[in-house]
């Protein structure tokens, strides 16, 4: 019996998840939903883990903040703790927000795989076309995993080689933790927090990329279906009720268009707040990490992986936003270029022609504005926005280096 939710296609076939999403499902019980028929004890265990993780995050945040306050006068030591503290705060907000509303997240995934996902068996060419765009997602996820590995290996290596009992993150707990019975739970809790952070940061952009790229393909399939149906209609030499038959094709396209637009809005509702948090922290995180790498490049391999992973993550999310803007911006043009003028020329039913023209005018008007993925409507997710964030991070970095 499966306890953790496993997505299925419309025909009941289990979905093969990419490795970042599969890792997220298996390691992040805080955010990943349960199956509808999961036993009652699983629900209570899920809530217990959510509460326990929340407490561990709060204690870790407090210990890291204490380290920052203790080293407020030492900029180099301060920079050792700022990057992980900012990442932890961001993960705390994003992760527990998603964990609190994980059932809505499950409903989005269920609807996506049932009605939006482009199955390779049905549309092999469209499915194949988007596959290369997932590779950059896997690359930056690998960089995050490499960062976590470095953070985990370092204290374990110090313990085994020197007997030094260091924690994974720069922090000063409320209590003395050097005795081994206390040190071991503290180290394990740090490792658990690291897994929760990295699995969330790796999987969420992968899920966003998955739904956006398949939605993008659905818009292209809708365009192709309209074009093929119109071509078949015009190839038919009969002009009998040609306008009515074409209007029926347009109505079917509008219904599909409406379905896709509704799902696009559901993506916005699900990811908008967490995208806002991600982009809001991005400039500060990149500035802090770049400063740490600048001051001690040989001792900052983990931060180098994280910095390049974060930059690539932002670029990918910006590209996804630009993709869905460009795709939906062409929908109104799709209706205008549907060869309706040839249908009108061959139709002798003036009333039906008028109804067809009104329908096309309405369809063009309803799609005159493209869909924008936003962060709480404060900014539009696009490559231009990401470039501005990177420019801001560069400015903060220059200012911080000048203080040194």
């Amino acid at each position: 019996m499966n306890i953790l939710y496993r997505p299925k296609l419309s025909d009941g076939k289990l979905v093969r998840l990419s490795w970042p999403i599969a890792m997220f499902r298996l390691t992040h019980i805080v955010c990943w939903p349960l199956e509808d028929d999961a036993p009652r004890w699983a629900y209570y265990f899920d809530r217990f883990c959510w509460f326990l993780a929340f407490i561990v995050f709060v204690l870790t945040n407090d210990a890291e903040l204490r380290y920052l306050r203790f080293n407020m006068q030492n900029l180099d030591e301060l920079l050792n703790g700022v990057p992980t503290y900012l990442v932890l705060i961001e993960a705390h907000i994003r992760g527990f927000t998603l964990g609190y509303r994980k059932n809505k997240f499950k409903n989005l995934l269920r609807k996506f795989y049932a009605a939006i996902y482009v199955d390779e068996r049905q549309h092999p060419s469209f499915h194949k076309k988007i596959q290369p765009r997932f590779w950059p997602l896997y690359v930056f996820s690998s960089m995050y995993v490499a960062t976590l590995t470095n953070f985990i290996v370092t204290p374990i290596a110090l313990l085994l080689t020197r007997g030094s009992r260091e924690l994974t993150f720069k922090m000063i707990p409320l209590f003395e933790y050097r005795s081994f019975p206390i040190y071991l739970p503290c180290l394990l809790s740090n490792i658990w927090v690291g897994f929760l952070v990295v699995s969330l940061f790796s999987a969420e952009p992968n899920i966003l990329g998955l739904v956006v790229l398949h939605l993008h393909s659905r818009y292209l399939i809708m365009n192709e279906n309209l074009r093929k149906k119109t071509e078949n209609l015009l190839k038919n030499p009969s002009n009998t009720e040609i306008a009515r038959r074409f209007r029926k094709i347009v109505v079917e396209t509008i219904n599909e268009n409406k379905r896709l637009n509704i799902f696009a809005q559901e993506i916005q509702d699900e990811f908008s707040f967490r995208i806002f948090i991600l982009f809001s922290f991005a400039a500060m995180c990149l500035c802090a990490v770049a400063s740490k790498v600048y001051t001690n490049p040989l001792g900052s391999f983990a931060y180098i992986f994280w910095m390049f992973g974060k930059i690539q993550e932002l670029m990918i999310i910006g590209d996804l936003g630009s993709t869905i803007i460009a795709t939906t911006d062409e929908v109104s043009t799709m209706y205008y270029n549907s060869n309706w003028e040839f249908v009108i020329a061959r139709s002798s039913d003036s009333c039906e022609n008028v109804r067809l023209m009104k329908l096309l005018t309405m369809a063009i008007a309803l799609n005159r504005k493209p869909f924008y993925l936003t962060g709480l409507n404060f900014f539009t997710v696009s490559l231009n926005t990401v470039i501005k964030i990177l420019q801001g991070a560069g400015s903060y970095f220059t200012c911080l280096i000048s203080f040194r």
Side-chain angles (χ1 to χ4, degrees), residues 19 32 53 82 106 130 184 228 237 250 263 283 320:
W19 71 263
W32 192 264
V82 167
K106 178 173 66 175
I130 62 174
L184 184 59
K228 286 184 177 179
V250 174
F263 185 77
L320 292 173

Side-chain angles (χ1 to χ4, degrees), residues 115-127:
I116 303 297
Y117 181 81
V118 179
D119 196 337
E120 185 179 10
R121 296 168 296 177
Q122 299 173 354
H123 305 283
S125 61
F126 285 98
H127 186 273

Side-chain angles (χ1 to χ4, degrees), residues 310-321:
K310 175 60 70 173
I311 292 173
Q312 189 170 5
E313 177 190 12
L314 292 172
M315 295 296 290
I316 291 170
I317 294 176
D319 182 59
L320 292 173

Side-chain angles (χ1 to χ4, degrees), residues 69-128:
R69 292 173 61 186
F70 183 80
N71 293 284
M72 191 63 69
Q73 303 302 320
N74 188 334
L75 184 59
D76 290 338
E77 288 297 324
L78 187 69
L79 290 176
N80 285 332
V82 167
T84 55
Y85 180 70
L86 291 175
V87 168
L88 196 65
I89 293 293
E90 179 186 346
H92 199 161
I93 298 173
R94 288 170 55 187
F96 288 94
T97 301
L98 175 57
Y100 182 75
R101 46 177 291 146
K102 62 171 67 178
N103 285 330
K104 292 183 178 179
F105 175 62
K106 178 173 66 175
N107 292 333
L108 178 75
L109 290 179
R110 181 180 288 125
K111 182 175 181 180
F112 165 71
Y113 282 109
I116 303 297
Y117 181 81
V118 179
D119 196 337
E120 185 179 10
R121 296 168 296 177
Q122 299 173 354
H123 305 283
S125 61
F126 285 98
H127 186 273
K128 183 179 180 180

